[in-house]
């Protein structure tokens, strides 16, 4: 594997796969946060790169994988490098919501589609001339939020506390939940923010505790989703704890231990795959991905890795269509690739079924989430 020198803030991922540089006809850049505060998200994403298709029809695919160290500035540098030096036809990543938001302008100017495996819907909504170059391989916040709100209503929740990251992920969740809560007679009595790198949220937790909400929703992705909940537990909070799909990773259970028992979230079927009916079209795709990942790395992947794997599935379907209208490496091919991604219909992925449209660049519906709880230290389908 050939190593390339890049700015110091960006490390070349050692497990990047290449289809042979001399033969590769389609170039795809992959940016993940395999180090830094977002590493629990980025590591399974980096580790999923070797599982992406290296041959699509008669075309070979080269992947150039970079680590942005969870730094938004490094993400932009990586994007610029991939566009200007490597001349990629598509980009998968970055891992973090703020990182992806900062990249949109540059991929749009270059006319290169970006498949963002991030949580916030702000990368694709509201749709505009720049965001039309972005596709999102995770469920939009509203799909997850509606499921959580429905459960809250049935459980009799009347007051809610929010604590989330001070970034596009937490901010969009605050906006989405604000509207849904109001529409369903739930009053948000406290809303607090924290940084992903914070080692304490005592002040924010005290304010939430003082508001005495019936339930608390933590809106944070990856490892940072644990701290607010364990802090509230230690302070004696007894209400129902909810999490977003951002907490859907094995380390949430490991780091939280007994303090996250009983948590409710809406997330990918991957967390509870053995309990999912065989008739669910995503079950086999998810099972095959998990088996391949486990064989290669010796452990099961977090759902975040599946978001990168699904990006590969989307490209695998779109590349042959784009190749009919242009040669890889040309503006015509990249524009046609964007168009083909936007026309994706009923593509079965690991976490749901994709149906893209000019207005919807995420493409998930209710098949993209299930209700889950933590029971005896494990994810369990909520019935």
């Amino acid at each position: 594997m050939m190593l390339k020198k890049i700015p110091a803030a960006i490390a070349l991922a050692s497990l990047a796969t290449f289809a042979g540089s001399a033969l590769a006809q389609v170039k795809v850049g992959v940016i993940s946060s395999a180090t830094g505060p977002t590493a629990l998200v980025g590591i399974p994403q980096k580790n999923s790169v070797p599982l992406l298709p290296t041959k699509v029809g008669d075309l070979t695919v080269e992947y150039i994988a970079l680590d942005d160290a969870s730094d938004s500035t490094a993400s932009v540098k990586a994007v610029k490098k991939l566009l200007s030096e490597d001349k990629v036809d598509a980009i998968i990543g970055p891992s973090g919501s703020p990182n992806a938001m900062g990249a949109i302008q540059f991929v749009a100017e270059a006319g290169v589609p970006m498949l963002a495996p991030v949580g916030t819907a702000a990368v694709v909504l509201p749709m505009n001339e720049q965001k039309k170059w972005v596709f999102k391989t995770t469920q939009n916040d509203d799909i997850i939020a509606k499921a959580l709100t429905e459960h809250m209503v049935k459980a009799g929740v009347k007051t809610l506390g929010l604590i989330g990251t001070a970034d596009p992920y937490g901010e969009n969740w605050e906006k989405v939940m604000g509207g849904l809560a109001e529409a369903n007679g739930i009053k948000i009595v406290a809303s607090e923010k924290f940084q992903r790198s914070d080692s304490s949220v005592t002040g924010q937790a005290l304010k939430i505790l003082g508001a005495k909400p019936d339930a608390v929703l933590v809106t944070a992705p990856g490892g940072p989703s644990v701290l607010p909940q364990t802090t509230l537990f230690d302070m004696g909070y007894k209400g129902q704890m909810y999490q977003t799909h951002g907490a859907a990773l094995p380390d949430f259970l490991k780091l939280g231990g007994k303090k996250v028992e009983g948590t409710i979230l809406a997330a990918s079927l991957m967390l509870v795959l053995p309990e999912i009916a065989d008739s669910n079209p995503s079950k086999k795709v998810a099972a095959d991905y998990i088996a391949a990942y486990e064989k290669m790395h010796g452990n099961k992947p977090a759902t975040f890795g599946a978001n990168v794997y699904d990006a590969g599935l989307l490209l695998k379907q779109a590349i042959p269509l784009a190749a009919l209208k242009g040669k890889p490496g040309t503006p015509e091919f990249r524009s046609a690739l964007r168009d083909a991604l936007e026309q994706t219909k009923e593509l079965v992925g690991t976490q749901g079924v994709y149906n893209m449209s000019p207005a919807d660049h995420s493409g998930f519906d209710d098949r993209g989430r299930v209700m889950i709880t933590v029971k005896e230290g494990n994810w369990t389908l909520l019935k």
Side-chain angles (χ1 to χ4, degrees):
M1 177 170 55
M2 182 175 64
L3 297 180
K4 300 182 180 181
K5 289 186 178 180
I6 53 178
I10 308 169
L12 185 66
S14 61
L15 291 177
T17 60
F18 293 82
S21 297
L23 300 175
Q25 293 173 277
V26 179
K27 287 187 176 183
V28 179
V30 185
I31 304 170
S32 59
S33 298
T35 56
T38 316
L40 291 181
V41 174
I43 290 172
Q45 293 183 341
K46 181 195 76 171
N47 287 347
S48 294
V49 176
L51 303 177
L52 301 180
T54 54
K55 190 169 179 61
V56 179
D58 294 329
L59 298 172
T60 52
V61 186
E62 174 187 355
Y63 297 95
I64 303 167
L66 307 177
D67 175 14
D68 63 17
S70 303
D71 181 80
S72 296
T73 301
S75 298
V76 171
K77 289 180 179 178
V79 167
K80 289 181 176 179
K81 176 194 177 299
L82 290 169
L83 295 173
S84 63
E85 296 181 27
D86 299 302
K87 302 188 184 306
V88 297
D89 295 303
I91 291 176
I92 300 173
S95 300
S97 294
N99 310 60
M101 291 295 292
I104 294 174
Q105 170 190 344
F106 303 102
V107 296
E109 289 174 354
V112 171
M114 180 172 80
L115 295 94
V118 300
T120 182
V123 294
V124 292
L125 294 174
M127 183 57 65
N128 57 34
E129 281 301 302
Q130 289 191 336
K131 292 179 182 178
K132 76 176 187 179
W133 288 95
V134 183
F135 297 84
K136 181 170 173 285
T137 57
T138 67
Q139 305 90 334
N140 275 347
D141 303 335
D142 62 327
I143 291 177
I144 304 296
K146 286 175 184 176
L148 294 177
T149 304
E150 287 172 5
H151 186 275
M152 291 177 190
V153 171
K154 291 178 182 177
V157 172
K158 297 297 183 183
T159 55
L160 180 67
L162 298 178
I163 179 166
T165 45
D167 59 26
Y169 188 87
E171 290 162 4
N172 196 66
W173 262 97
E174 183 179 36
K175 178 182 176 181
V176 171
M177 280 305 300
L180 284 171
E182 183 178 3
N184 287 277
I186 299 172
K187 184 179 180 181
I188 296 178
V189 294
S191 184
E192 296 293 321
K193 296 286 193 301
F194 68 100
Q195 300 296 329
R196 295 190 188 203
S197 57
D198 285 351
S199 59
S200 172
V201 292
T202 300
Q204 297 95 319
L206 283 170
K207 290 180 181 179
I208 288 178
L209 202 64
K212 300 180 180 179
D214 296 333
V216 173
L217 170 62
V218 179
T219 59
S225 64
V226 181
L227 183 60
Q229 185 162 345
T230 56
T231 301
L232 283 165
F233 179 93
D234 290 341
M235 289 181 174
Y237 180 70
K238 302 298 183 183
Q240 178 62 55
M241 292 296 305
Y242 289 91
Q243 289 274 355
T244 71
H245 52 326
L249 71 166
D251 286 278
F252 177 80
L253 301 177
K254 293 177 184 177
L255 295 171
K258 293 181 179 179
K259 297 178 182 181
V260 299
E261 187 75 11
T263 303
I264 292 174
L265 70 160
S268 163
L269 57 84
M270 270 183 60
L271 295 184
V272 289
L273 203 59
E275 298 182 70
I276 300 299
D278 291 342
S279 59
N280 188 306
S282 292
K283 184 172 183 177
K284 184 181 185 307
V285 180
D288 289 346
Y289 163 65
I290 292 170
Y293 187 103
E294 195 166 15
K295 181 179 179 180
M296 178 170 287
H297 302 293
N299 61 295
K300 292 184 178 180
T303 59
F304 306 112
N307 300 331
V308 165
Y309 185 79
D310 278 3
L313 296 180
L314 286 162
L315 287 172
K316 183 178 181 180
Q317 178 171 285
I319 285 172
L321 299 174
L324 296 174
K325 298 185 178 181
K327 182 180 178 181
T330 65
E332 291 78 14
F333 175 80
R334 293 163 186 163
S335 179
L337 185 61
R338 191 215 74 86
D339 293 346
L341 288 167
E342 189 174 80
Q343 293 160 15
T344 300
K345 299 299 178 188
E346 290 296 302
L347 175 69
V348 179
T350 58
Q351 304 185 70
V353 181
Y354 293 90
N355 282 286
M356 304 289 189
S357 72
D360 184 1
H361 277 201
S362 174
F364 281 105
D365 53 27
D366 288 350
R367 291 174 291 180
R369 50 88 173 144
V370 293
M371 292 299 294
I372 297 168
T373 188
V374 180
K375 185 177 181 181
E376 297 179 357
N378 294 300
W379 302 117
T380 303
L381 192 64
L382 189 62
K383 300 174 181 177

